[in-house]
Amino acid sequence: MSKFWSPAVRELTPYVPGEQPRERLIKLNTNENPYPPAPGVEAALRDFPADHLRRYPDPESRTLREALAAELGVTTEQVFVGNGSDEVLALAFQAFFRQGKPLEMPTISYSFYPVYCRLYEVERLAHPLDPQWRVDLDAFGNDSGGVIFANPNAPTGHGHGTEAIAGLLGRVSDAVVLIDEAYVDFGGESAVPLVEHFPNLLVTGTFSKSRSLAGLRLGYAVGSRELIEGLERVKDSFNSYPVDSLASALGIASLADPEHFEACREAVITTRERTRVRLEDLGFQVLPSQANFVLVSHPDFDAAQLLVGLRERGVLVRHFNTEVLRDHMRVSIGTDDEMDNLIEALESLCR
């Protein structure tokens, strides 16, 4: 540790992202979309005037927010955008969760949440999943500094419907409830329509998964005007030009092609269900998933050893070496050919 670090930095345990290997592997470890972005994205990238880069982008990202608002059925003033949903989440932690009361979340959810708690000195209160590995909505109470969880949840894949989310919001009304919908397009039910009825609801989303733009870093939030204004106040105190001009143009081009979006989304869902059946045929226990991944375990084989064996066979998946998850692997959904390679590798390992 450096003597120049502040005390808070010395105490941090940073988030560990999924490996981005340099060698050629079938990459099923970071929940990237196996299909390319909409063709209009490539056209917009090719036609983007380089001269525009000498000027700062629109600090309000107005055109992108208008396009997102039209897609989501809300007003432009209810939309916030940032550099990936991770940045939007970080701003939300600063804007809403430094309350002097604990922030409630599941024990198993997106592993960046505890990192942000440490970074922003937010007390965390974690609740176990229910016996079916679902987020236990009944565990969250109103006397807290807020609630946050992914829906569908990561890395388990289960998603609650809007009726269940509305029930939670009817009970938790005095603090912000943040629903992280990074994976909602793969079979989940979005809570965005509930924003009109619950001023404490903030829904975050990303272009990284269903829109195949993980390399672009573009995310958003939808909520009441008072919540969006809170995010804007923090953003303008930190980085008043968060989304660059090129990212805005490519995001808008992605939103303009609903047919491509639907085709890719349906392809991932179909391949996920096909893969689930084949994994179960090999003796794996597969949690039901509404995301672009599945969480799996095998009663007869160690997950860490399977991870090594898969890599030796050219397939990369994710293993979380924690007490609860060490027997599990998270497998991102790739193309049919990529998943065939996964199954062939597992067949050789699980004889």
Side-chain angles (χ1 to χ4, degrees):
M1 292 188 181
S2 171
K3 67 179 182 180
F4 300 112
W5 292 0
S6 67
V9 172
R10 295 192 193 103
E11 299 298 321
L12 290 178
T13 302
Y15 172 78
V16 179
E19 180 185 355
Q20 297 288 348
R22 294 191 178 187
E23 67 266 45
R24 188 174 181 82
L25 296 170
I26 295 174
K27 218 175 149 295
L28 306 176
N29 68 319
T30 50
N31 300 339
E32 294 149 329
N33 198 312
Y35 303 106
V41 171
E42 184 173 357
L45 182 62
R46 183 178 59 247
D47 298 339
F48 187 84
D51 181 63
H52 286 189
L53 296 178
R54 68 185 178 86
R55 297 187 182 276
Y56 286 110
D58 174 13
E60 296 183 355
S61 301
R62 187 79 191 182
T63 305
L64 174 60
R65 288 168 55 223
E66 288 173 347
L68 261 172
E71 173 72 14
L72 298 171
V74 297
T75 68
T76 304
E77 301 306 313
Q78 292 175 297
V79 177
F80 178 89
V81 292
N83 289 304
S85 60
D86 286 339
E87 181 183 73
V88 177
L89 289 168
L91 297 174
F93 267 72
Q94 296 176 78
F96 310 122
F97 297 143
R98 302 179 71 180
Q99 298 283 2
K101 294 182 178 181
L103 173 62
E104 298 191 58
M105 64 185 67
T107 52
I108 299 175
S109 195
Y110 185 28
S111 52
F112 227 136
Y113 303 154
V115 174
Y116 285 142
C117 284
R118 289 189 292 269
L119 179 61
Y120 299 120
E121 298 181 329
V122 174
E123 183 183 355
R124 179 170 71 104
L125 176 59
H127 302 286
L129 301 182
D130 73 13
Q132 286 75 46
W133 286 64
R134 302 173 302 191
V135 174
D136 186 0
L137 300 183
D138 292 334
F140 300 126
N142 196 36
D143 187 24
S144 70
V147 172
I148 185 171
F149 60 94
N151 193 54
N153 196 31
T156 55
H158 174 267
H160 285 288
T162 54
E163 184 176 352
I165 299 298
L168 168 66
L169 290 162
R171 192 176 71 254
V172 180
S173 57
D174 294 334
V176 170
V177 175
L178 195 158
I179 310 295
D180 180 352
E181 293 190 344
Y183 302 103
V184 74
D185 294 323
F186 300 108
E189 189 175 358
S190 178
V192 166
L194 298 178
V195 165
E196 290 297 324
H197 308 288
F198 300 97
N200 64 321
L201 171 63
L202 188 72
V203 179
T204 61
T206 180
F207 284 69
S208 296
K209 312 299 183 184
S210 57
R211 297 193 179 274
S212 307
L213 291 172
L216 189 66
R217 312 312 302 129
L218 193 59
Y220 60 89
V222 182
S224 62
R225 181 57 203 158
E226 62 182 304
L227 294 187
I228 299 304
E229 185 178 0
L231 291 173
E232 291 170 347
R233 288 173 66 86
V234 176
K235 183 263 291 185
D236 289 339
S237 302
F238 174 70
N239 177 14
S240 55
Y241 298 99
V243 178
D244 65 75
S245 302
L246 180 58
S248 289
L250 301 187
I252 292 167
S254 172
L255 293 168
D257 194 338
E259 291 81 8
H260 180 86
F261 169 76
E262 286 294 333
C264 291
R265 187 179 74 86
E266 289 296 333
V268 169
I269 293 172
T270 299
T271 301
R272 181 191 69 211
E273 294 309 303
R274 171 177 173 266
T275 300
R276 176 185 59 80
V277 172
R278 298 183 73 189
L279 287 168
E280 290 175 344
D281 288 343
L282 289 175
F284 282 89
Q285 297 171 346
V286 185
L287 286 181
S289 175
Q290 294 169 284
N292 66 337
F293 57 81
V294 288
L295 189 69
V296 306
S297 62
H298 199 292
D300 301 325
F301 296 95
D302 179 76
Q305 292 180 354
L306 288 176
L307 180 80
V308 173
L310 284 171
R311 186 173 187 126
E312 290 172 348
R313 289 160 176 78
V315 181
L316 190 61
V317 298
R318 190 79 187 267
H319 178 241
F320 299 93
N321 191 23
T322 66
E323 182 178 355
V324 179
L325 293 173
R326 66 167 54 101
D327 294 332
H328 295 76
M329 299 184 301
R330 190 194 68 192
V331 181
S332 303
I333 302 303
T335 64
D336 282 336
D337 286 344
E338 289 173 332
M339 305 316 286
D340 287 344
N341 277 277
L342 167 75
I343 297 299
E344 290 173 10
L346 287 172
E347 286 174 339
S348 69
L349 290 166
C350 299
R351 290 173 181 165

